[in-house]
Amino acid sequence: MTGFTITYFAVRGRCGAMRIMLSDQGQEWKEVVVTFDEWMKGDLKKTCVFGQLPKFEDNGLILYQSNAILRHLGRKLGANGETEREASLVDMVAEGVEEIRTKYLKMIYQEYETGKDAHIKDLPNHFCKFEAILVKNQSGFLVGNSISYADYSLFEVLLNHQVLSPTCLDSFPSLKKFVEMMSARPKIKTFLQSDAYKKLPINGNGKQ
Ligand SMILES: N[C@@H](CCC(=O)N[C@@H](CSC(=S)NCCc1ccccc1)C(=O)NCC(=O)O)C(=O)O
């Protein structure tokens, strides 16, 4: 199978950022949608290196781990910083984004009713760090003067948090401007308005 293929469940989940990145970078890809019933049979799970999805295929290269997939696309599509130094900074910032995503997913799947309010209350402690990065860098992106996979990752996390708490960015003007800038990029705007994007729930348990 040539080209890019994403194999995942019928949710945005851990494929939200990579789909936004592929769209913005003008790339096409195939989606293999796995139902929970198919997954529970176990045959596909046994073939996955870490027993989990997403699975990403790039012309015969098979990758798992959503952030490894983002990094791969960053290198391949020129969205990984403009120098080795910037690439290291992109990785650093992307790890920080992943910390927020991991906290969000734990809250969504394990403690939504009891932990949603505390998660929202704690957001400023995390958002202030990315606000400071954007204020310091001045280009509008997280690192250097061009978009990187870390920008797509942060953008997706912020979009999901705006659903969870629509006012969560009100105290962070640079983050709000970042979301507006990313949302206004023509290919991202088109993708976010597409049925392919809108028809998928954010998470697999219906919570958001
Ligand atoms: N570090 C990995 C994590 C991958 C992962 O958690 N995959 C989940 C799906 S992604 C996700 S957000 N999981 C949260 C709960 C969930 C489970 C199943 C479907 C949808 C969501 C999965 O394959 N679950 C099934 C299983 O482990 O047997 C990555 O970043 O790709």
Side-chain angles (χ1 to χ4, degrees), residues 1 10 45 58 65 74 83 85 143 148 155 159 198 205:
M1 195 176 298
K45 183 179 178 75
D58 173 4
Q65 295 298 348
T83 63
R85 178 184 176 279
V143 175
S148 73
F155 176 57
L159 286 180
K198 290 196 287 190
N205 62 358

Side-chain angles (χ1 to χ4, degrees), residues 45-203:
K45 183 179 178 75
K46 276 192 292 224
T47 68
C48 299
V49 171
F50 301 98
Q52 293 190 305
L53 296 175
K55 168 183 177 183
F56 186 81
E57 295 166 87
D58 173 4
N59 295 298
L61 169 67
I62 297 176
L63 294 174
Y64 299 90
Q65 295 298 348
S66 56
N67 288 302
I69 297 165
L70 283 175
R71 264 194 288 279
H72 170 70
L73 291 173
R75 287 190 294 270
K76 185 172 182 116
L77 303 174
N80 192 42
E82 292 171 0
T83 63
E84 268 197 29
R85 178 184 176 279
E86 285 191 0
S88 298
L89 290 169
V90 169
D91 286 345
M92 174 189 77
V93 174
E95 290 295 322
V97 176
E98 177 59 20
E99 283 186 344
I100 302 178
R101 180 179 287 108
T102 301
K103 284 175 181 288
Y104 167 83
L105 292 172
K106 182 173 185 294
M107 181 274 295
I108 287 286
Y109 287 102
Q110 298 175 15
E111 51 198 33
Y112 188 78
E113 281 69 26
T114 59
K116 176 182 174 183
D117 290 347
H119 179 85
I120 292 169
K121 192 162 184 258
D122 185 44
L123 283 177
N125 296 320
H126 301 279
F127 285 178
C128 68
K129 311 291 194 304
F130 292 92
E131 179 79 7
I133 291 169
L134 288 173
V135 166
K136 189 175 175 191
N137 192 43
Q138 284 302 311
S139 74
F141 299 113
L142 287 165
V143 175
N145 296 311
S146 55
I147 201 164
S148 73
Y149 77 84
D151 291 302
Y152 297 112
S153 189
L154 176 63
F155 176 57
E156 192 258 352
V157 159
L158 294 177
L159 286 180
N160 292 346
H161 277 87
Q162 285 187 308
V163 172
L164 181 74
S165 170
T167 60
C168 71
L169 297 183
D170 285 1
S171 307
F172 301 101
S174 294
L175 284 179
K176 210 164 188 177
K177 198 171 155 196
F178 173 78
V179 169
E180 288 163 3
M181 177 272 288
M182 293 291 283
S183 301
R185 288 171 69 96
K187 294 186 177 81
I188 290 180
K189 186 173 185 201
T190 300
F191 177 64
L192 296 182
Q193 291 173 343
S194 70
D195 289 340
Y197 175 78
K198 290 196 287 190
K199 75 173 189 253
L200 291 180
I202 298 175
N203 302 299

Side-chain angles (χ1 to χ4, degrees), residues 32-44:
V32 174
V33 180
V34 179
T35 67
F36 297 128
D37 288 345
E38 286 164 352
W39 182 254
M40 294 313 287
K41 287 177 190 155
D43 296 345
L44 174 60

